[in-house]
Amino acid sequence: VIADILRRLGPRTVLDAPSGAGFLKQCLDPDAMVDGVDIYCPRPEGYRNFWKIDLDAGLPDGMPDYDCIVCCEAISYLGNPLSFLKSARRRLRPGGTLIVSTPSIWYPNARLQFLMRGFFPAFPWRLERNDRDGIFYIHPYSYPQLYLYLKLSGFTNIRLHPVDRGPKHLHEWILGFPQVIYSYAKFRRAESEEERSFWKSAGSLGAVYGRRLVVTAEAAGAGEAIPDAGAPAERLSVNRHIGVI
């Protein structure tokens, strides 16, 4: 999904944060310039610049500005996601795009496990860990929560890109159906286009039943939305609408 988004965007400069083994370079035009940041992995081959940075402290000033920043499967590890997201917005050119992917805890089996044991899957209590030497999830995310973090960080045109559209088991369809109905009711009572767009995405199969989230958001001064067959752009009022979830 991320590769498809990047092909549609066609960015010339990209920051891979964190870069890991450097898979992102394979998804881009050969002429695209890719920089990377990571605290655990070495500099990937073919990357223009590379910095050893703890993303919990955010991206430092003095870095270049980018057309696109990709945060793939990392935001759940951060204890201070707002610091990172706000710094990412500052490092994007006007109209630049942030792509975030992370596990979702909204799918029915995850909520059922939380009901039974008090912890979401992959988010157990780590009593033996008091540092970041062992990599483990800290923040669980649903689509509305990630949307809220992005809005608070100053992003606009926040959009969900479905990864997996349906559950694997019949009981998941049943458990998730009340959430679909609730979102549809909120959609019907919405007073603005942005509110309708948000609830349309929140009640979609990808949001309710998907095990992963891929979300794009644009920096201030954004132009037209990313071409996509999914839901239209969402620009929801944080205090009035997301706070009720």
Side-chain angles (χ1 to χ4, degrees):
V1 174
I2 292 174
D4 289 342
I5 294 170
L6 288 170
R7 280 192 287 268
R8 289 196 294 270
L9 288 173
R12 306 313 305 162
T13 56
V14 180
L15 178 64
D16 191 0
S19 55
F23 92 97
L24 199 63
K25 182 70 174 174
Q26 306 170 25
C27 304
L28 295 163
D29 185 283
D31 294 330
M33 294 175 286
V34 186
D35 293 346
V37 300
D38 206 299
I39 195 171
Y40 298 108
C41 297
R43 176 177 182 163
E45 183 178 354
Y47 278 45
R48 180 184 62 173
N49 297 309
F50 180 79
W51 298 272
K52 283 281 186 181
I53 292 174
D54 184 354
L55 294 180
D56 254 323
L59 299 172
D61 294 333
M63 293 180 65
D65 292 339
Y66 297 93
D67 298 321
C68 184
I69 295 176
V70 180
C71 181
C72 183
E73 302 299 299
I75 197 168
S76 289
Y77 297 108
L78 301 183
N80 192 4
L82 275 178
S83 176
F84 166 71
L85 292 174
K86 288 179 180 180
S87 69
R89 181 179 55 80
R90 292 193 296 269
R91 298 275 64 80
L92 281 168
R93 296 190 175 101
T97 301
L98 173 69
I99 305 175
V100 178
S101 72
T102 187
S104 173
I105 49 86
W106 237 19
Y107 67 94
N109 266 1
R111 287 182 281 139
L112 183 61
Q113 289 185 50
F114 183 84
L115 175 66
M116 300 299 293
R117 66 184 186 181
F119 296 98
F120 288 109
F123 289 88
W125 175 251
R126 299 299 183 103
L127 185 63
E128 75 281 4
R129 292 291 184 185
N130 58 5
D131 55 43
R132 295 306 311 278
D133 291 338
I135 302 175
F136 55 89
Y137 291 142
I138 295 176
H139 276 288
Y141 286 95
S142 62
Y143 169 66
Q145 183 186 11
L146 183 56
Y147 191 103
L148 174 61
Y149 272 71
L150 290 165
K151 287 289 288 187
L152 291 174
S153 300
F155 285 96
T156 62
N157 202 15
I158 302 165
R159 306 182 65 190
L160 174 68
H161 301 260
V163 179
D164 43 2
R165 292 178 176 271
K168 299 179 179 179
H169 308 287
L170 177 61
H171 73 272
E172 290 187 273
W173 282 107
I174 298 171
L175 290 173
F177 191 67
Q179 184 176 331
V180 175
I181 296 299
Y182 175 78
S183 297
Y184 179 70
K186 298 290 286 186
F187 170 82
R188 291 288 301 271
R189 295 195 297 268
E191 299 177 356
S192 68
E193 182 57 34
E194 65 176 357
E195 190 178 350
R196 284 189 290 272
S197 297
F198 173 81
W199 287 111
K200 181 178 179 180
S201 291
S204 67
L205 295 182
V208 176
Y209 295 106
R211 284 164 165 75
R212 287 204 123 57
L213 299 170
V214 175
V215 174
T216 56
E218 293 182 7
E224 295 183 358
I226 301 170
D228 186 52
E234 301 98 1
R235 299 181 182 88
L236 192 61
S237 167
V238 174
N239 292 333
R240 181 177 178 187
H241 302 302
I242 297 185
V244 304
I245 300 174

